[in-house]
Amino acid sequence: MNLTLEARILQEVIEHAKAAYPNEGCGLVSGTRFIPMPNIAQSASEFEMDPAELIKALRELRTEGEELVAIYHSHPHGPLRPSKTDIERAYYPEAAHLIVSLAELEHPRVAAFRIANGEALEIELRAIV
Ligand SMILES: [Zn+2]
């Protein structure tokens, strides 16, 4: 199992994470685009997508026949893996979870996971140009 994204989309996700720093950034990734989401938790250790924006974005994707491929959020201080809370709050098991670690701000790292049955499994992340 893996997650393949356009390099352009991956870059947009990383830029968004940097812009949200020192708070966590979050957003959705479809097959063709990145949809940034406001983090209403405004926190360096937590994220909560604006529910109204989330519903609107999911509805748009459905209307356009697009799939929710991944849910992204950042960890401003790492680590590069889902937290216990992330695993508990993984409400969309069909989507991959993309985590951007900014523990080294100049060297962002990204990893993808599948979260199911209370477990996070790292999957291969491929960027295509
Ligand atoms: Zn997290």
Side-chain angles (χ1 to χ4, degrees), residues 24 73 75 83 86:
E24 289 196 8
H73 75 282
H75 284 171
S83 67
D86 292 337

Side-chain angles (χ1 to χ4, degrees), residues 105-126:
L105 200 50
E106 296 310 313
H107 300 281
R109 294 172 66 204
V110 190
F113 300 83
R114 289 273 164 200
I115 301 178
N117 309 316
E119 275 186 279
L121 182 75
E122 184 163 5
I123 58 174
E124 191 188 340
L125 175 62
R126 287 190 202 141

Side-chain angles (χ1 to χ4, degrees), residues 20 22-26 39 43-47 72-76 86:
N23 287 336
E24 289 196 8
C26 53
N39 175 8
S43 161
S45 58
E46 200 188 344
F47 77 99
Y72 128 81
H73 75 282
S74 63
H75 284 171
D86 292 337

Side-chain angles (χ1 to χ4, degrees), residues 5-125:
L5 294 178
E6 283 180 45
R8 164 184 69 84
I9 293 177
L10 206 51
Q11 199 52 45
E12 282 179 41
V13 169
I14 292 169
E15 290 306 323
H16 185 266
K18 283 180 162 178
Y21 187 91
N23 287 336
E24 289 196 8
C26 53
L28 308 177
V29 177
S30 79
T32 60
R33 62 192 172 107
F34 166 55
I35 308 166
M37 283 284 137
N39 175 8
I40 58 169
Q42 293 272 321
S43 161
S45 58
E46 200 188 344
F47 77 99
E48 190 180 347
M49 294 186 191
D50 184 306
E53 292 277 320
L54 178 59
I55 288 165
K56 191 171 142 238
L58 291 173
R59 193 175 293 150
E60 258 176 47
L61 289 180
R62 204 176 318 132
T63 306
E64 293 161 10
E66 284 212 66
E67 238 180 290
L68 175 64
V69 173
I71 294 171
Y72 128 81
H73 75 282
S74 63
H75 284 171
H77 309 291
L80 189 59
R81 56 181 149 77
S83 67
K84 199 167 163 282
T85 310
D86 292 337
I87 293 171
E88 285 167 6
R89 294 186 188 170
Y91 301 131
Y92 300 93
E94 69 283 4
H97 292 260
L98 204 55
I99 293 188
V100 179
S101 167
L102 297 175
E104 289 174 83
L105 200 50
E106 296 310 313
H107 300 281
R109 294 172 66 204
V110 190
F113 300 83
R114 289 273 164 200
I115 301 178
N117 309 316
E119 275 186 279
L121 182 75
E122 184 163 5
I123 58 174
E124 191 188 340
L125 175 62

